[in-house]
Amino acid sequence: MNVRIDEKVKEILPNLQLGIIEANVVVSPSDDELWGMIDSVYKHLQETLTLEDVLKIESIQAARRSYKKLGKDPSRYRVSSDSLIRRIPKGMDLYKVNNIVDINNLISLETGHSLGCVDLAKVKGDVVFTKGNAGDYYEGIGRGQINLENMPVFKDDEGYFASTTSDSVRTQVTEESKHIMMMVICFEGDSKLNEYIEKINSLMTKYAQAKILESKIVG
């Protein structure tokens, strides 16, 4: 899978890194053991994190700074990790979707980075990480129409299909998905990105019978 960062985004966010994992997987309902790991992280954060603390997480701060640089309001259009983690001090449950989405959420909870995951059977051609233009929209998963203007987005030959706020319905991972790409977005870089990729590969191998096709950092 050829993934690159648009030059205009590189100019604005010179330290941006993308962790890219391509794999063949078996998607299944949430695994009890995997969910136990998520629940453990949830309970730890619940005991130690206030709503005000969420905005002090460095990776979320970096994402918010980057949204502002791109021209997007990070309080109106929150980065996905911000939205996910702030559910915890609010006492809101996390969604159970499937094993792949659970792995996505576990890593996001642990790192504060935005992660995305898409069904590559629904992605056409090469992938560019860019920013949306005025008048650009897509249907986000559980979010309705999302205004993509100035938002960090992934684009293929058919248009935008994922963002750091919400992935699209077009490429969402379902139990029919077999070939996926997971993306870790580090807006200001992260020296531990290789460790995160290795953990994702290990979790997908254990809980989704994954065959890892490629892992790489784009930046």
Side-chain angles (χ1 to χ4, degrees), residues 94-213:
L94 303 182
Y95 297 111
K96 283 188 175 182
V97 182
N98 57 52
N99 54 348
I100 298 299
V101 175
D102 289 347
I103 292 168
N104 186 102
N105 288 343
L106 173 60
I107 300 299
S108 191
L109 289 174
E110 290 182 336
T111 68
H113 290 303
S114 173
L115 273 77
C117 190
V118 297
D119 185 337
L120 283 176
K122 303 168 186 173
V123 174
K124 308 301 179 186
D126 292 339
V127 173
V128 181
F129 188 73
T130 184
K131 72 171 185 169
N133 298 312
D136 290 332
Y137 292 84
Y138 67 44
E139 186 178 357
I141 300 171
R143 297 282 299 262
Q145 291 293 305
I146 295 180
N147 177 4
L148 301 176
E149 182 179 5
N150 294 329
M151 184 174 287
V153 283
F154 290 89
K155 185 178 183 181
D156 68 356
D157 290 349
E158 294 189 358
Y160 305 108
F161 65 86
S163 76
T164 48
T165 288
S166 173
D167 291 338
S168 74
V169 170
R170 170 163 76 93
T171 58
Q172 73 182 104
V173 173
T174 69
E175 290 189 25
E176 286 71 47
S177 302
K178 299 183 185 306
H179 183 201
I180 68 162
M181 178 172 67
M182 191 172 288
M183 307 89 78
V184 186
I185 300 92
C186 303
F187 282 98
E188 294 180 0
D190 193 318
S191 61
K192 295 183 177 180
L193 181 52
N194 271 318
E195 294 178 28
Y196 306 151
I197 291 172
E198 289 175 7
K199 183 165 186 177
I200 290 168
N201 289 347
S202 176
L203 289 169
M204 288 205 296
T205 300
K206 183 173 183 179
Y207 295 107
Q209 302 175 46
K211 178 182 179 183
I212 308 299
L213 303 176

Side-chain angles (χ1 to χ4, degrees), residues 38-55:
I38 296 170
D39 192 50
S40 177
V41 175
Y42 182 102
K43 288 177 179 176
H44 171 71
L45 293 176
Q46 192 175 45
E47 292 169 357
T48 59
L49 202 66
T50 67
L51 197 55
E52 291 74 22
D53 290 333
V54 176
L55 295 181

